[in-house]
């Protein structure tokens, strides 16, 4: 029998994404409530909680219930240990995360949860879209599942990203970032979520350099197929933001992107990510 949860669940689709109603995270909740919330993130992949008037500290404290908060590595190497970030789009600073990706896949331990809290929302546009990479894995033929299950992918900060990231810090920290991250990190293409046991495709869009051991043609074609497959509308859920919406997603079974269709309107979201485990392979 399912355990009672301290909120109502309104699914966004039959298998991916849900709005949770009845929790006020500005109030101290019980350990059981936080555990139920974490289970919901894992179960639904993406959860939305509306009207959460969290301040910076409250959002960080919520993330810390589930693990250490990730500090963006260029800032860590510049000696700034601040896990809080802002996504802010203005006329002078157009939307950036507008292609499918997962966050920080080139970390040896990529985040397990991502969290955004909306503070300024445009009157039109600016939705975020997520893709269910566990549903996408399940929908592959058994033969393709078997083929991809033994593969590893090199995730790497590509050239434009490298330029942008090192420009955010001083030269010394930029060089340290290059040294530490230029080679990239290999992760399994199919990963097991330790909290659910479920398998998903660990895809990360433009952060993926290649499938280890394949020729460039083979790798490009197979990654292209898998990206096209996993980002079909049938695996997506999408959220139209209101102020004080809080969205938490499981980075281990999703990709996401921001839509830029509000530009040049103002949009501002507070962001943090919770550190995850070294991705588990299938066996
Ligand atoms: C992010 C991100 C999407 C958005 O913060 O990692 O991709 O909709 N944001 O702003
Ligand atoms: Mn992102």
């Amino acid at each position: 029998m399912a355990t009672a949860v301290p909120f109502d669940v309104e699914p966004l689709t039959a298998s991916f994404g849900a709005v949770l109603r009845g929790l006020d995270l500005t109030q101290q909740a019980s350990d059981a409530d936080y555990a139920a919330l974490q289970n919901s993130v894992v179960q639904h992949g993406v959860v939305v909680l509306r009207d959460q008037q969290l301040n910076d500290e409250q959002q960080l404290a919520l993330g810390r219930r589930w693990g250490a908060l990730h500090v963006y590595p260029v800032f860590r190497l510049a000696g700034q240990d601040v896990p809080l970030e802002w996504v802010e789009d203005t006329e002078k600073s157009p939307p950036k995360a507008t292609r499918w990706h997962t966050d920080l896949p080139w970390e040896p331990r990529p985040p397990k949860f991502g969290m955004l809290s909306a503070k300024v929302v445009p009157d039109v546009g600016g939705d975020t879209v997520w893709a269910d990479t566990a549903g996408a894995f399940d929908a592959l033929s058994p033969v393709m599942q078997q083929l991809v299950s033994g593969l590893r992918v090199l995730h790497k900060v590509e050239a434009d990203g490298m330029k942008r990231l090192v420009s955010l810090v001083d030269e010394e920290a930029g060089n340290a970032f290059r040294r530490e991250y230029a080679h990239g990190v290999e992760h399994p293409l199919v990963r097991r979520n330790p909290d659910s046991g479920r398998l998903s495709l660990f895809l990360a869009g433009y952060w993926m350099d290649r499938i280890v051991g394949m020729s460039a043609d083979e790798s490009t074609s197979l990654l292209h197929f898998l990206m096209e497959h996993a980002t079909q509308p049938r695996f997506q859920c999408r959220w139209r933001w209101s102020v004080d919406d809080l969205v938490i997603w499981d980075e281990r079974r999703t990709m996401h992107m921001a839509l830029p269709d509000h530009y040049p309107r103002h949009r501002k979201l507070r962001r943090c990510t919770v550190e995850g485990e070294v991705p588990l392979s299938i066996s």
Side-chain angles (χ1 to χ4, degrees):
M1 198 179 79
T3 335
V5 289
F7 38 76
D8 293 325
V9 178
E10 186 184 298
L12 288 173
T13 77
S15 57
F16 185 51
V19 180
L20 309 183
R21 296 187 196 279
L23 261 189
D24 177 358
L25 295 168
T26 63
Q27 304 301 311
Q28 195 62 33
S30 68
D31 286 352
D33 290 348
Y34 289 117
L37 180 54
Q38 164 157 8
N39 287 342
S40 275
V41 177
V42 173
Q43 184 187 345
H44 301 289
V46 181
V47 304
V48 179
L49 298 106
R50 310 201 62 178
D51 303 313
Q52 305 294 319
Q53 296 185 11
L54 301 178
N55 61 30
D56 295 0
E57 266 319 305
Q58 288 170 318
Q59 182 169 342
L60 293 174
L62 176 62
R64 284 196 187 99
R65 305 284 318 199
W66 300 318
L69 295 181
H70 185 272
V71 175
Y72 214 88
V74 270
F75 298 119
R76 171 173 56 76
L77 291 163
Q80 303 164 26
D81 279 332
V82 186
L84 194 77
E85 295 157 30
W86 290 95
V87 175
E88 184 162 23
D89 308 329
T90 60
E91 184 164 5
K92 292 214 169 67
S93 174
K96 284 160 209 71
T98 58
R99 293 179 293 157
W100 287 109
H101 65 283
T102 33
D103 295 321
L104 302 138
W106 34 264
E107 283 281 36
R109 293 162 54 117
K112 69 173 171 185
F113 294 154
M115 200 187 289
L116 284 171
S117 159
K119 292 299 151 193
V120 177
V121 300
D123 55 346
V124 289
D127 296 4
T128 304
V129 189
W130 288 265
D132 179 3
T133 57
F137 176 78
D138 291 346
L140 292 171
S141 67
V143 173
M144 182 58 94
Q145 287 180 343
Q146 193 170 7
L147 171 70
V148 294
S149 289
L151 300 177
R152 294 177 70 75
V153 173
L154 179 67
H155 296 261
K156 201 161 116 176
V157 182
E158 38 79 53
D160 284 351
M162 186 57 91
K163 235 185 266 167
R164 186 173 58 79
L165 289 172
V166 299
S167 77
L168 301 173
V169 291
D170 64 30
E171 197 179 334
E172 197 185 330
N175 288 338
F177 181 71
R178 270 212 185 81
R179 267 197 308 279
E180 202 171 317
Y181 287 91
H183 305 295
V185 177
E186 287 179 21
H187 291 306
L189 175 52
V190 179
R191 71 187 294 187
R192 189 180 292 284
N193 190 319
D195 297 327
S196 65
R198 238 184 131 181
L199 299 176
S200 63
L201 292 167
F202 186 9
L203 296 169
Y206 51 88
W207 295 129
M208 294 187 293
D209 188 67
R210 68 189 134 89
I211 297 176
V212 178
M214 283 195 171
S215 70
D217 281 353
E218 291 166 346
S219 170
T220 304
S221 296
L222 185 49
L223 289 178
H224 178 78
F225 163 73
L226 292 172
M227 284 295 297
E228 291 291 307
H229 168 73
T231 57
Q232 292 174 80
R234 66 177 166 138
F235 300 123
Q236 294 178 14
C237 71
R238 172 170 173 160
W239 188 247
R240 170 87 248 276
W241 294 95
S242 299
V243 170
D244 291 327
D245 286 346
L246 173 75
V247 179
I248 310 167
W249 65 93
D250 190 335
E251 297 268 7
R252 302 164 298 183
R253 73 168 270 201
T254 53
M255 286 190 281
H256 60 276
M257 68 175 170
L259 296 183
D261 53 358
H262 57 295
Y263 183 76
R265 291 169 172 75
H266 193 194
R267 177 180 186 268
K268 187 174 179 185
L269 310 173
R270 187 173 48 212
R271 171 188 199 276
C272 63
T273 55
V274 180
E275 260 178 26
E277 68 282 345
V278 174
L280 302 181
S281 59
I282 194 163
S283 48

